[in-house]
């Protein structure tokens, strides 16, 4: 069966707005309100199989979107290692070379966590397994993180992980990928 996958990036958190790396932050009132408002504008098929990252912000977003989603560890955010919860501006002052390497080199993991290249491989395995899993519907929706969605796009296009910094994923945006005999393709998401 062909697969139509809608990837939705979770609502913004207070930590994101403060320029911090994620640390399993919940949504604040503003994020919850934005997720609730997005429910009306996002075109999510009613018959879609729904999955969600285990993070609090992703689960709260899925709930606000009215999804009864199954937690899937394959949708976990990038591992930021020692940078979890740290402010980007603090890291720019304390470790500018490490931050520059991480933002320009997809194989760099100066923070002791996961490199973007490794994230692309991990998400590629999840995408390929998703297509093989038996389902009653071709429609799948997954609420996850911007970095995960960027990795999914890179994998779908067979692109080099080097392009990761050129892909922007806003909170509560939706990306559509389809898997057919040709492989994965990127489609304009209905919004």
């Amino acid at each position: 069966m062909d697969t139509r996958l809608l990837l939705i990036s979770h609502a913004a958190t207070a930590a994101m707005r403060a320029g911090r790396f994620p640390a399993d932050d919940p949504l604040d009132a503003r994020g919850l309100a934005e997720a609730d408002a997005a429910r009306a504008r996002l075109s999510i098929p009613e018959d879609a199989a729904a999955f969600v990252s285990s993070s609090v912000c992703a689960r709260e977003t899925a709930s606000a979107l009215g999804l009864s989603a199954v937690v899937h560890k394959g949708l976990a955010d990038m591992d930021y290692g020692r940078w979890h919860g740290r402010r980007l501006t603090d890291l720019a002052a304390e470790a500018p070379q490490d931050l520059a390497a991480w933002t320009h080199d997809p194989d760099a993991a100066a923070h002791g966590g996961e490199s973007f290249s490794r994230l692309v491989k991990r998400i590629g395995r999840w995408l390929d397994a998703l297509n093989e899993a038996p389902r009653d519907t071709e429609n799948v929706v997954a609420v996850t993180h911007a970095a995960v969605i960027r990795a999914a796009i890179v994998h779908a296009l067979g692109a080099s992980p080097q392009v990761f910094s050129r892909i922007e994923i806003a909170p509560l945006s939706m990306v559509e990928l389809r898997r057919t005999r040709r492989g994965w393709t990127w489609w304009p998401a209905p919004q």
Side-chain angles (χ1 to χ4, degrees):
M1 171 186 307
D2 291 350
T3 301
R4 178 179 181 235
L5 172 62
L6 301 174
L7 293 161
I8 301 172
S9 110
H10 65 75
T13 65
M16 288 171 67
R17 288 189 290 277
R20 293 185 183 277
F21 282 92
D24 201 19
D25 308 295
L27 298 181
D28 57 7
R30 179 176 165 188
L32 284 168
E34 290 169 348
D36 189 51
R39 185 177 186 170
R41 76 169 166 79
L42 294 175
S43 298
I44 301 171
E46 290 184 20
D47 71 337
F51 298 97
V52 65
S53 163
S54 62
S55 72
V56 175
C57 60
R59 287 184 287 124
E60 289 178 346
T61 298
S63 179
L65 294 174
L67 298 171
S68 296
V70 174
V71 171
H72 196 294
K73 66 181 181 177
L75 294 169
D77 198 1
M78 178 179 225
D79 178 358
Y80 296 101
R82 296 181 303 277
W83 293 355
H84 280 283
R86 299 285 313 276
R87 285 174 35 110
L88 189 59
T89 55
D90 293 343
L91 290 169
E94 296 168 17
Q97 293 85 2
D98 291 345
L99 188 58
W102 180 73
T103 58
H104 293 94
D105 179 359
D107 295 319
H111 45 64
E114 188 174 30
S115 70
F116 194 75
S117 291
R118 285 190 178 257
L119 178 64
V120 171
K121 288 177 185 168
R122 176 168 61 88
I123 298 308
R125 287 190 301 271
W126 179 79
L127 285 169
D128 294 341
L130 176 67
N131 196 57
E132 302 301 320
R135 293 186 311 278
D136 295 333
T137 176
E138 71 176 357
N139 295 309
V140 177
V141 62
V143 179
T144 188
H145 310 272
V148 169
I149 297 172
R150 290 161 70 187
I153 292 169
V154 168
H155 176 77
L157 297 178
S160 165
Q162 191 70 38
V163 303
F164 78 98
S165 63
R166 298 181 192 164
I167 301 170
E168 293 295 331
I169 304 295
L172 294 167
S173 61
M174 186 163 62
V175 168
E176 181 174 336
L177 300 178
R178 292 187 192 177
R179 174 73 185 228
T180 65
R181 290 184 310 275
R182 298 188 300 150
W184 286 103
T185 54
W186 182 12
W187 286 68
Q191 298 204 27

